[in-house]
Amino acid sequence: MIIKKPTDCTEDELNNFKNLVIEGGQVDSTGLENRINQCKFLGFFYNDKKELVGISAIKTKTKHSVEAIKLKAGISDGKLPIYELGYSVTKQNFRGQGINRAINDKLLEAAKTIDIYATTDNDTMRKYLIERGFSKKGKSFKGRYNENLDYFEK
């Protein structure tokens, strides 16, 4: 497992990260390369064959985008964390092995001094976030790719 700033990544690492994000099917690919390069940290998990099988990131968001998400969730507390735990994808045949959990633990450790939020429609991820000190805020809302997103903040 490797945690890096995008500026410390090779072009191949960034391309492989982007390809796995796209494979996950939950993100608009328009401008994705730029959004990946703006992340605070990228997490890579390789199997014993040195094949990338899992990724996640601490994404950098604009205040405007965070305001829009919080509005959808019905939250108006004025707090605008600009870092989001996201781009979490594990290749299909490697799921259920704790890969995403391991990557996210290392990412949260690397970013322990900053305010972070996450959105998810995945029950396993909801449980993970609560176990790591995140609190669910607001109401569930519809996202572009998901019907039942919840907003969590730490």
Side-chain angles (χ1 to χ4, degrees):
M1 181 179 357
I2 299 169
I3 304 297
K4 288 183 169 185
K5 293 182 178 186
T7 54
D8 296 332
C9 294
T10 67
E11 190 174 324
D12 280 346
E13 287 172 322
L14 292 171
N15 283 332
N16 291 336
F17 189 97
K18 180 177 91 171
N19 291 337
L20 196 47
V21 169
I22 291 168
E23 188 178 313
Q26 299 286 307
V27 175
D28 181 359
S29 62
T30 306
L32 179 59
E33 188 173 311
N34 186 48
R35 293 193 312 272
I36 290 170
N37 285 324
Q38 291 177 4
C39 287
K40 180 98 171 142
F41 296 108
L42 301 177
F44 302 82
F45 193 99
Y46 296 90
N47 67 7
D48 54 1
K49 297 177 184 173
K50 308 227 185 284
E51 165 182 65
L52 183 63
V53 298
I55 56 165
S56 196
I58 302 291
K59 299 164 32 177
T60 305
K61 306 296 280 189
T62 66
K63 288 184 178 190
H64 176 72
S65 67
V66 179
E67 285 173 339
I69 290 167
K70 291 183 92 166
L71 183 64
K72 287 181 183 180
I75 305 165
S76 59
D77 61 6
K79 187 176 177 186
L80 293 173
I82 60 163
Y83 296 105
E84 178 187 15
L85 181 64
Y87 294 148
S88 298
V89 180
T90 303
K91 285 191 174 182
Q92 184 72 34
N93 44 336
F94 292 91
R95 292 184 183 160
Q97 299 176 30
I99 290 170
N100 191 259
R101 177 179 292 271
I103 299 169
N104 287 336
D105 280 349
K106 289 289 185 188
L107 284 168
L108 290 174
E109 183 181 313
K112 64 184 168 196
T113 61
I114 59 177
D115 292 331
I116 298 174
Y117 78 93
T119 61
T120 188
D121 74 338
N122 178 295
D123 286 337
T124 301
M125 188 64 166
R126 286 180 178 110
K127 182 179 175 190
Y128 170 84
L129 292 168
I130 291 168
E131 288 172 354
R132 297 307 183 270
F134 284 76
S135 300
K136 182 184 178 300
K137 299 198 177 232
K139 61 182 181 187
S140 297
F141 61 96
K142 183 178 179 353
R144 182 181 290 175
Y145 299 96
N146 312 88
E147 291 295 320
N148 191 28
L149 283 172
D150 286 324
Y151 177 93
F152 292 83
E153 226 174 66
K154 183 174 184 179

